[in-house]
């Protein structure tokens, strides 16, 4: 219909440019139109008494519009487009043959079969007539094939970006006019990078996409992503944040679980939300002993699911063998101090070193590794303080610390990446003068400078919405039981009122004093490279004294809070990578941050790694300094075989050992294609739009053979296509004149 | 008139029985709760309370009623008060509070993780009371006992202690233990007599010639019951301002109790 009215396909108008071919100046058009409009107006006023003013105005407008149309046509309008020259250009056809293309959709036909059929029956005849067609099979890369029928849906992954890059690189040696991609858009790399798009735009090659497969399965549950901490301490409770998408199971209860070697670590019942909407769930589980742990996070298959292979994801967690040390400075003997020490007594994964001011001039130290440790009081040098992984500041007035020590505490979190926990007390926070110290900036909440905030009254505590999902506050494994448990927790002995949380801070628990507004009790936030927590009470010891002696809620809470404080505290050598489970992809970008004892970046270090491969063989890799970031060393490692890899990294400078770190990762093959198996229409549409191409469905792909010629790539010629003779122009003219005539008849002024 | 004498006798017996019960239960001391002694005590909540355990005085050893050794309230309130004054002066422990008497039948003892019990040779518990004290200790409470002397007293003390902690093992505290070094380094210890020393010159009572600093530890080796045997620290605090009572006894008694309190708040 469009082509009948407008003579050309839509692509001509979207990609072409309007030109007026008449040699006369364009400015003459408005001048003549103005004159004509004035003349018609004069004419109208001469016979103004025959019809009403509104009717006269309508007739005048219709006549003026007709004159404007005629003037426009007289100036010879045309659309200027670049057209590929017949027989001189190459069209690359990419046919996705990854495993997801083997899925059979509702039309009972495999996607690849449908694509091959479309290619053979509708596209190839039209394309081959005018272009040289190069056929590529696409999965991890684009590989040239002679015959589409030879392709099978056996590719382990789809990397659209890499495939397009490959074609773009080849375009230097051939007149590439356009790319046609037949795919379900199930890219496994998380999207097409900007670099590829800009490369295609540079060579002006449009990518026309034809999408296969349904946008959603009728019945499917998929684990979209599972975020877990890369590192944990032995026997820690870790929190996984799981993103789930489903279709066809709204409001259904399913079991979300974490398993290791088939053994359940946690099972939680969840209710699925609306179709196609992504929901996020927290799953907490105990990770176990030191070493790499491969955890399967998934939802038990539900009856009728079309694809059960996307119900489980594998994630790797390295459980450290190191024993973090936490320094706790307390301004006076108090029960909270005693009970915190007792809570950690059975935890062999943490070392609590404490110093308490028993008198004005005496400091009592506990948990020290040698009589010299902390002999001179709270550390004054960064290299002495930064040997600890975490820091607890109890009831100590800010002025007890020198200005240099206050800065050091701030740098402990900011630069060293340690965790700092501030506790309430009669000389803490507001009463301790913290508001005017550099430490105020670190706090996750605002504090006032001079109010009375310390209250020795018992108060109820409650979990916030965030606290219900957080590992720190998860005393019971089951979410609902945990909420109920906190509701029955004994009151804390005291509290300190604090202000509102700062942007980026998360309040996990509130204190609810009788007859007063709730106030943050436990708030946490990231600060620089580290993290900061505030516990606005020194009376959690009542959770121990007022519950049965076998009850472990107090010790579990403190254990988890302090583990959170130090788990992510880095050593002087820290290895990181984007993801530790490589799905059908062996490319592993490695980054190592090297710091000295004061946690300043070290340049000029030698950083080497020993990779132990799945077959037991090892190889040495060297990392090169990053040209922009000092203290950062990088390399790209390729894991060519599936399985578990261990990399031991070591940094040295002038023969001095700067530190070591270990990274484990897995490569898994044959899993990526099970995820995002429905058509990613959004990605295909965006790819076409960004490159000047068009997105087609299999049903309207027939028009592609006509539209594909309009391209500025390859060998092309600009053509001016007349539009004055489009049927729609005559229809408009007829409509204007006809409606005027009909109305005149009706009004009796013919 | 014939009935007058029997009636009078019955009335006297009833009154005596009630009084005896009262004495056994509470002695003749004030009731439980916070009690302000003088202007140095503030009616304000505090981190630390000098809490005295009020227990029942019973028929020690099952051999009948015994009055010897007195009840829970001996030396109260002066001893407790003097201790608090020293504590406030010499440590950073926050304790502006009044004196505190904690009843063995009151669950509120869980709010006071340090308690002092005196004259424990004659303490006696019901099963519920023993269980409460056992829970108190198991949850993290610290009990200091004082002023009982000689073998008979020890046996009766252990009978009560056996109800509270049936499998408890009592041991001598070595000089190197942190409890003698957390605040003051107490390397030299000697018998601390009661106020009778002023008139008799004897440092011992009954057959308690040798002082012993003993304890019961929990599974982690932490002292949970500190036992001051064959000595009377309470008198040494109470009579610290008496010119005739030697300062060296009071000095050591204060250092010991401050160390014990510090220990209870740090271990």
């Amino acid at each position: 219909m469009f082509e009948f009215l407008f003579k050309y396909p839509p692509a001509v108008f979207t990609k072409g440019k309007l030109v007026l071919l008449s040699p006369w100046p364009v400015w003459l058009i408005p001048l003549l139109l103005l004159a004509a409009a004035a003349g018609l107006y004069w004419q109208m006023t001469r016979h103004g008494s025959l019809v009403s003013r509104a009717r006269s105005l309508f007739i005048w407008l219709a006549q003026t519009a007709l004159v404007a149309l005629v003037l426009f046509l007289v100036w010879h309008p045309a659309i200027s487009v670049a057209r590929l020259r017949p027989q001189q250009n190459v069209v690359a056809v990419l046919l996705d043959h990854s495993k997801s293309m083997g899925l059979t959709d509702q039309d009972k036909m495999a996607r690849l079969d449908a694509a091959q059929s479309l290619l053979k029956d509708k596209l190839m005849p039209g394309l081959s007539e005018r272009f040289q067609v190069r056929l590529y099979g696409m999965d991890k890369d684009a590989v040239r094939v002679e015959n589409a029928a030879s392709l099978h849906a056996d590719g382990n992954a789809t990397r659209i970006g890499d495939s397009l890059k490959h074609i773009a690189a080849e375009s230097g040696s051939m007149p590439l006019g356009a790319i046609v991609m037949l795919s379900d858009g199930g890219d496994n790399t998380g999207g097409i990078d900007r670099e590829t798009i800009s490369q295609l735009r540079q060579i002006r090659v449009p990518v026309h996409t034809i999408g296969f497969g349904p946008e959603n399965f009728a019945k499917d549950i998929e684990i979209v992503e599972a975020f877990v901490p890369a590192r944990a301490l032995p026997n820690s409770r870790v929190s996984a944040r799981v993103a789930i998408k489903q279709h066809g199971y709204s409001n259904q209860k399913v079991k979300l679980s974490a398993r290791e070697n088939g053994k359940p670590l946690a099972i939680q019942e969840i209710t699925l939300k609306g179709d196609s909407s992504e929901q996020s769930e927290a799953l907490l589980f105990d990770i176990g002993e030191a070493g790499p742990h491969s955890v399967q996070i998934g939802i038990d298959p539900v009856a009728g699911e079309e694809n059960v292979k996307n119900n489980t994801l594998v994630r790797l967690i390295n459980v450290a063998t190191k024993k973090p040390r936490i320094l706790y400075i307390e301004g006076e003997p108090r029960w909270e101090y005693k009970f915190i020490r007792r809570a950690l007594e059975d935890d062999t994964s943490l070392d609590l070193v404490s110093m308490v001011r028993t008198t004005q001039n005496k400091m009592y130290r506990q948990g020290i590794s040698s009589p010299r440790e902390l002999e001179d009081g709270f550390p004054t040098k960064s290299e002495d303080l930064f040997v600890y992984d975490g820091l607890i500041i109890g009831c100590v007035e800010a002025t007890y610390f020198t200005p240099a020590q206050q800065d050091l505490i701030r740098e402990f979190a900011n630069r060293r990446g340690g965790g700092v926990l501030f506790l309430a007390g009669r000389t803490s926070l507001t009463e301790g003068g913290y508001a005017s110290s550099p430490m105020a900036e670190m706090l996750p909440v605002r504090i006032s400078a001079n109010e009375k905030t310390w209250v020795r009254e018992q108060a109820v505590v409650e979990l916030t919405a965030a606290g219900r999902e957080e590992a720190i506050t998860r005393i019971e494994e089951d979410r609902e039981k945990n909420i109920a448990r906190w509701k029955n927790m004994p009151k804390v002995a005291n509290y300190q009122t604090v202000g509102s949380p700062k942007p980026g801070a998360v309040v996990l628990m509130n204190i609810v004093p009788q007859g007063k507004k709730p106030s943050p009790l436990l708030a946490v936030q990231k600060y620089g490279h580290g993290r900061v927590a505030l516990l606005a009470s020194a009376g959690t010891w009542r959770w121990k004294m007022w519950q049965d002696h076998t009850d472990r809620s107090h010790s579990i809470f403190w254990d988890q809070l302090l583990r959170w404080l130090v788990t992510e505290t880095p050593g002087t050598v820290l290895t990181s990578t984007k993801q530790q489970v490589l799905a059908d992809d062996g490319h592993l970008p490695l980054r190592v941050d090297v710091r000295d004892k004061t946690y300043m970046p070290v340049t000029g270090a030698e950083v080497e790694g020993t990779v132990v491969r799945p077959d037991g063989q090892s190889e040495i890799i060297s990392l090169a300094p990053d040209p922009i970031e000092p203290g950062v060393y990088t390399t790209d490692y390729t894991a060519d075989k599936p399985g578990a890899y261990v990399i031991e990294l070591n940094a040295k400078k002038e023969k001095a050992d700067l530190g070591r770190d270990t990274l484990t990762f897995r490569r898994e093959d044959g899993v990526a294609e099970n995820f995002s198996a429905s058509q990613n229409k959004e990605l295909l549409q965006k790819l076409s739009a960004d490159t000047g191409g068009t997105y087609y469905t299999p049903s309207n792909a027939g028009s592609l053979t006509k539209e594909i010629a309009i391209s500025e790539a390859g060998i092309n010629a600009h053509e001016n296509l007349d539009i004055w003779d489009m049927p729609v122009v005559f229809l408009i003219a007829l409509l204007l004149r006809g409606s005027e005539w009909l109305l005149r008849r009706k009004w009796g002024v013919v | 008139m014939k009935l007058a004498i029997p009636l009078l006798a019955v009335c006297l017996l009833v009154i005596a029985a009630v009084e005896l019960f009262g004495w056994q239960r509470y002695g003749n001391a004030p009731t439980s709760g916070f009690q302000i002694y003088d202007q140095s005590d503030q009616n304000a909540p505090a981190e630390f309370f000098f809490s005295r355990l009020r227990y029942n005085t019973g028929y020690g050893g099952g051999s009948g009623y015994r009055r010897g050794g007195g009840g829970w309230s001996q030396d109260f309130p002066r001893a407790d008060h003097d201790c608090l004054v020293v504590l406030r002066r010499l440590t950073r422990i926050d304790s502006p509070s009044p004196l505190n008497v904690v009843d063995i039948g009151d669950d509120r003892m869980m709010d006071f993780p340090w308690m002092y019990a005196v004259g424990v040779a004659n303490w006696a518990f019901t099963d519920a009371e023993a269980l409460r004290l056992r829970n108190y200790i198991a949850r993290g409470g610290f009990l200091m006992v004082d002023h009982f002397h000689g073998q008979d007293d020890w046996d009766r003390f252990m009978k009560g202690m056996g109800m509270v902690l049936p499998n408890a093992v009592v041991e001598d505290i070595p000089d190197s233990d942190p409890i003698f070094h957390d605040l003051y380094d107490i390397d030299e210890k000697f018998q601390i007599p009661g106020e009778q020393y002023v008139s008799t010159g004897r440092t011992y009572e009954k057959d308690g010639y040798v002082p012993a600093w003993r304890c019961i530890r929990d599974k982690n080796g932490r002292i949970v019951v500190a036992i001051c045997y064959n000595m009377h620290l309470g008198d040494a605090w109470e009579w610290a301002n008496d010119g005739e009572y030697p300062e060296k006894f009071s000095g050591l008694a204060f250092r010991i109790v401050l160390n014990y309190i510090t220990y209870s708040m740090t271990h």
Side-chain angles (χ1 to χ4, degrees):
Chain A
M1 185 65 180
F2 185 90
E3 272 190 71
F4 170 76
L5 288 173
F6 291 87
K7 198 178 157 191
Y8 307 109
V12 169
F13 296 93
T14 53
K15 293 173 186 171
K17 203 170 86 180
L18 177 72
V19 289
L20 297 172
L21 299 177
S22 162
W24 303 319
V26 177
W27 55 262
L28 211 53
I29 298 175
L31 205 67
L32 291 173
L33 182 62
L34 205 63
L40 289 167
Y41 187 77
W42 176 74
Q43 180 72 12
M44 182 188 78
T45 49
R46 275 184 62 206
H47 307 287
S49 56
L50 294 176
V51 288
S52 69
R53 186 167 178 77
R55 288 175 177 180
S56 302
L57 203 63
F58 181 84
I59 292 166
W60 173 78
L61 272 173
Q63 290 174 340
T64 307
L66 188 64
V67 171
L69 181 67
V70 171
L71 282 172
F72 177 67
L73 295 178
V74 167
W75 254 254
H76 197 169
I79 297 288
S80 173
V81 290
R83 268 186 190 274
L84 296 174
R85 289 196 171 167
Q87 312 308 333
Q88 294 182 20
N89 286 284
V90 174
V91 169
V93 176
L94 274 73
L95 178 57
D96 184 353
H97 68 106
S98 61
K99 281 182 177 168
S100 61
M101 287 293 282
L103 292 172
T104 304
D105 297 321
Q106 282 172 331
D107 55 5
K108 309 288 181 198
M109 200 174 184
R111 293 173 193 175
L112 184 62
D113 292 344
Q116 284 167 330
S117 166
L118 178 74
L119 205 55
K120 185 183 165 198
D121 300 338
K122 291 188 179 171
L123 301 182
M124 286 306 270
L127 292 175
S128 314
E129 213 172 74
R130 288 184 287 163
F131 309 105
Q132 188 191 335
V133 178
R134 280 198 183 195
L135 189 64
Y136 294 83
M138 178 178 80
D139 55 351
K140 290 177 189 171
D141 201 353
V143 177
R144 183 108 187 254
V145 292
E146 290 304 319
N147 187 357
S150 66
L151 292 171
H152 302 285
D154 54 4
N156 279 336
T158 314
R159 288 193 208 127
I160 295 175
D162 288 352
S163 302
L164 290 173
K165 257 188 208 164
H166 181 125
I167 304 293
E170 280 191 0
S171 71
S173 58
M174 64 180 179
L176 183 63
I179 296 172
V180 178
M181 182 188 289
L182 297 92
S183 171
D184 57 11
D187 187 84
N188 305 124
T189 57
I192 303 162
D193 57 295
R194 280 186 186 177
E195 189 193 331
T196 308
I197 297 289
S198 75
Q199 202 175 344
L200 290 166
R201 288 172 86 149
Q202 227 166 18
I203 57 174
R204 298 182 169 190
V205 175
V207 181
H208 302 282
T209 55
I210 306 170
F212 290 85
E215 284 177 58
N216 289 298
F217 287 110
K219 280 188 163 301
D220 185 44
I221 302 168
E222 178 172 335
I223 302 284
V224 178
E225 187 51 278
F227 299 100
V228 297
R231 293 160 198 261
L233 294 177
N235 304 310
S236 287
R237 182 161 288 175
V238 297
S239 171
R241 177 64 57 184
V242 188
I244 302 158
K245 205 163 117 179
Q246 68 82 31
H247 210 269
Y249 293 103
S250 295
N251 300 318
Q252 186 156 331
K253 287 190 188 308
V254 292
K255 281 183 178 162
L256 175 65
S257 65
R259 290 183 161 85
E260 188 172 18
N261 300 323
K263 182 187 155 198
L265 304 175
I267 298 175
Q268 184 178 314
E269 192 174 74
I270 59 165
T271 304
L272 295 171
K273 293 183 180 162
D275 282 355
S276 301
S277 63
E278 199 169 292
Q279 75 185 81
S280 178
E281 296 287 340
L283 182 68
L284 282 83
F285 51 90
D286 292 327
I287 191 59
E289 301 295 328
H293 290 256
S294 183
V295 181
Q296 296 95 40
I297 293 169
I299 287 177
D300 293 352
V302 180
E305 254 194 284
E306 290 176 47
N307 178 11
V308 294
K309 289 180 179 171
N310 60 3
N311 284 36
T312 305
L313 272 179
V314 176
R315 289 292 175 262
L316 214 62
I317 300 173
N318 289 322
V319 177
T321 48
K322 71 165 186 174
K323 196 172 182 184
R325 305 193 84 209
I326 300 171
L327 173 60
Y328 177 9
I329 178 164
E330 186 52 84
E332 62 192 42
R334 54 181 189 161
W335 299 121
E336 195 73 343
Y337 173 89
K338 165 200 179 111
F339 282 93
I340 290 173
R341 284 202 62 85
R342 289 171 73 106
L344 292 188
E345 214 163 45
D346 295 331
D347 188 345
T348 53
S349 304
L350 288 176
D351 256 348
L352 184 63
V353 182
S354 56
M355 49 199 302
V356 54
R357 292 169 71 198
T358 52
T359 76
Q360 206 61 24
N361 306 306
K362 283 186 183 175
M363 189 68 87
Y364 181 57
R365 295 168 291 154
Q366 290 173 273
I368 49 177
S369 57
S370 78
R372 298 291 308 275
E373 186 172 5
L374 301 169
E375 195 178 34
D376 300 324
F378 191 80
T380 52
K381 294 178 189 165
S382 54
E383 56 263 46
D384 293 335
L385 182 62
F386 292 1
V387 296
Y388 299 99
D389 299 277
L391 185 59
I392 306 174
I393 299 185
C395 185
V396 187
E397 59 275 24
T399 50
Y400 174 76
F401 302 109
T402 63
Q405 284 173 323
Q406 292 180 21
D407 282 335
L408 214 52
I409 290 169
R410 195 159 52 89
E411 287 300 297
F412 183 83
N414 184 35
R415 189 170 87 220
R416 191 256 180 274
V420 182
L421 168 64
F422 290 92
L423 300 179
R426 64 184 176 123
T427 58
S428 298
L429 307 176
T430 297
E431 277 85 344
Y434 280 64
S436 53
S437 84
M439 293 180 285
E441 186 192 299
M442 303 173 71
L443 293 170
V445 295
R446 294 177 180 87
I447 57 168
S448 66
N450 49 18
E451 283 176 35
K452 182 185 179 301
T453 58
W454 172 246
V455 184
R456 283 201 193 273
E457 275 173 24
Q458 293 175 8
V460 171
V461 302
E462 66 173 15
L463 288 178
T464 61
R468 288 184 199 129
E469 315 300 335
E470 174 61 47
I472 298 172
T473 45
R474 188 63 69 94
I475 292 169
E476 290 279 352
E477 205 163 278
D478 181 80
R479 183 180 178 276
E480 301 308 317
K481 280 186 188 167
N482 186 57
I483 294 169
R485 180 81 169 266
W486 277 103
K487 281 184 179 160
N488 294 320
M489 197 66 90
K491 293 176 179 176
V492 288
N494 48 54
Y495 61 92
Q496 196 155 14
T497 49
V498 294
S500 56
K502 290 178 183 171
V506 180
V507 177
L508 303 178
M509 289 203 288
N510 277 329
I511 195 100
V512 192
Q514 200 170 7
K516 293 179 191 169
K517 279 195 307 184
S519 169
L521 171 66
L522 177 62
V524 296
Q525 73 171 9
K526 294 264 183 199
Y527 182 78
H529 288 99
R531 62 221 75 81
V532 179
L534 166 81
L535 185 72
S537 172
T540 64
W541 57 267
R542 285 191 89 251
W543 298 344
K544 186 69 191 163
M545 285 302 290
W546 279 89
Q547 300 194 90
D548 189 84
H549 71 276
T550 57
D551 185 283
R552 294 194 64 242
S553 47
H554 176 264
S555 57
I556 290 173
F557 168 79
W558 274 101
D559 200 35
Q560 289 176 171
L561 176 57
L562 297 188
R563 279 167 180 256
W564 171 86
L565 204 65
V566 296
T567 298
E568 289 181 24
T569 301
T572 47
V573 174
L574 176 69
T575 315
S576 56
T577 186
K578 279 182 189 167
Q579 54 190 42
Q580 286 179 276
V581 177
L582 309 175
D584 297 274
D585 178 14
H587 176 233
L588 181 86
L590 263 182
R591 173 192 165 111
V592 176
D593 288 74
V594 182
R595 301 281 185 267
D596 62 13
K597 285 180 182 173
T598 65
Y599 280 77
M600 296 300 282
V602 177
T603 54
E606 291 170 38
V607 184
E608 278 191 349
T610 306
V611 185
V612 182
R613 294 155 52 90
D615 54 11
Q617 292 187 333
S618 59
E619 62 182 303
I620 305 289
I621 54 169
S622 289
L623 286 85
D626 186 276
I628 299 169
E629 276 189 273
V632 174
Y633 299 78
T634 58
T635 191
D636 282 336
Y637 179 73
T638 303
D640 50 6
K641 287 184 179 169
Y645 291 74
V646 179
I647 306 183
E648 298 270 357
L649 285 130
N650 172 231
K652 284 181 182 170
K653 186 172 183 182
E654 291 158 5
K655 293 186 181 172
D657 197 4
L658 296 171
R660 291 166 185 278
D661 195 20
T662 304
L663 178 86
T664 55
F665 70 94
R666 281 184 74 81
R667 174 178 168 163
E668 296 207 322
D669 282 5
V671 294
E673 279 297 307
N674 300 321
F675 293 84
S676 304
S678 52
Q679 187 192 152
N680 192 344
K681 186 178 170 183
E682 194 184 334
L683 180 134
L684 296 175
Q685 279 181 324
K686 191 168 186 313
L687 173 63
S688 292
D690 286 351
T691 56
T694 308
Y695 167 82
Y696 298 91
T697 61
S699 59
N700 70 4
S703 60
L704 181 139
T705 50
K706 289 182 196 167
E707 294 175 2
I708 196 167
I710 299 160
S711 167
E712 295 199 354
I715 300 169
N716 64 67
H718 276 265
E719 281 181 24
N720 294 325
L721 306 175
D722 284 340
I723 57 170
W724 65 269
D725 54 350
M726 291 190 301
V728 72
V729 173
F730 297 102
L731 272 176
I732 292 169
L734 201 65
L735 193 72
L736 288 170
R737 199 63 192 152
S739 57
E740 183 197 338
W741 182 77
L742 283 170
L743 288 170
R744 276 172 179 273
R745 269 186 68 88
K746 192 179 172 190
W747 296 332
V749 288
V750 179
Chain B
M1 276 305 285
K2 283 182 185 173
L3 289 175
I5 291 174
L7 277 174
L8 187 63
V10 168
C11 286
L12 285 172
L13 278 171
V14 169
I15 291 167
V18 170
E19 284 297 312
L20 177 61
F21 174 77
W23 186 89
Q24 284 179 262
R25 177 77 194 167
Y26 303 122
N28 55 356
T31 53
S32 64
F34 296 145
Q35 294 166 41
I36 290 179
Y37 178 74
D38 67 11
Q39 69 278 9
S40 68
D41 299 333
Q42 295 174 36
N43 193 11
E47 183 71 16
F48 177 82
F49 288 87
F50 194 101
S51 303
R52 175 180 285 251
L53 179 66
R54 186 171 75 170
Y55 57 83
N56 188 25
T57 302
Y59 303 87
S63 58
Y65 173 67
R66 300 174 67 91
R67 293 179 65 95
W72 62 268
S73 63
Q74 288 183 69
D75 316 320
F76 184 86
R78 274 289 301 278
D80 306 37
H81 171 74
D82 289 355
C83 240
L84 266 181
V85 168
V86 173
L87 183 88
R88 290 170 192 156
R89 167 67 185 84
L90 297 178
T91 75
R92 284 183 58 83
I93 296 169
D94 182 35
S95 185
S97 50
L99 310 182
N100 187 29
V101 175
V102 180
D103 192 86
I104 185 72
D106 192 346
D107 278 339
R108 284 186 304 148
M109 74 165 60
M110 304 303 170
D111 273 332
F112 309 106
W114 188 90
M115 282 200 301
Y116 172 71
V118 71
V120 290
N122 291 313
W123 66 4
F125 307 108
T126 64
D127 287 344
E129 289 167 349
L131 178 64
R132 184 171 293 106
L133 197 52
R134 187 186 313 148
N135 283 336
Y136 172 84
I137 292 167
R139 293 174 191 182
F142 184 96
L143 179 66
M144 174 181 173
V145 296
D146 180 28
H147 183 33
F148 60 115
H149 311 264
Q151 192 57 46
D152 281 357
D153 280 10
W154 178 262
D155 293 343
R156 290 195 300 277
F157 160 72
M158 283 306 293
K159 190 175 171 61
M161 203 70 240
M163 283 182 76
V164 177
L165 300 172
N167 301 313
V169 176
V170 176
E171 59 180 82
D172 286 320
I173 308 174
D175 291 345
S176 59
D177 195 278
I179 205 166
F180 291 130
H181 303 279
D182 53 18
L183 186 63
Y184 296 105
D185 285 318
I186 304 173
D187 296 318
E188 188 191 354
K189 297 188 288 294
F190 40 79
Q191 192 166 39
I192 299 169
E195 187 265 343
Q196 96 284 346
Y197 175 84
V198 175
S199 53
T200 64
R202 274 191 290 111
T203 57
Y204 64 90
E205 292 179 44
K206 303 180 189 169
D207 58 341
Y209 307 115
V210 181
W213 286 268
R214 294 177 176 164
C215 70
I216 297 171
R217 296 180 190 269
D218 66 8
K219 66 177 175 60
N220 292 311
R222 205 171 24 220
I223 295 173
V224 289
V225 180
I227 303 163
C228 298
Y229 175 53
N230 289 341
M231 64 189 92
H232 192 170
L233 273 69
D235 258 5
W237 306 330
E238 184 181 9
W239 299 101
N241 62 352
D242 185 321
E244 292 184 56
Y245 187 82
E247 178 277 332
K248 66 171 187 173
F249 297 133
S250 293
L252 179 59
F254 280 127
R255 284 197 293 279
I256 283 175
V257 74
L258 294 190
N259 267 36
Y260 281 19
I261 290 171
T262 303
Y263 183 93
S264 80
M265 298 185 87
T266 53
H267 288 75

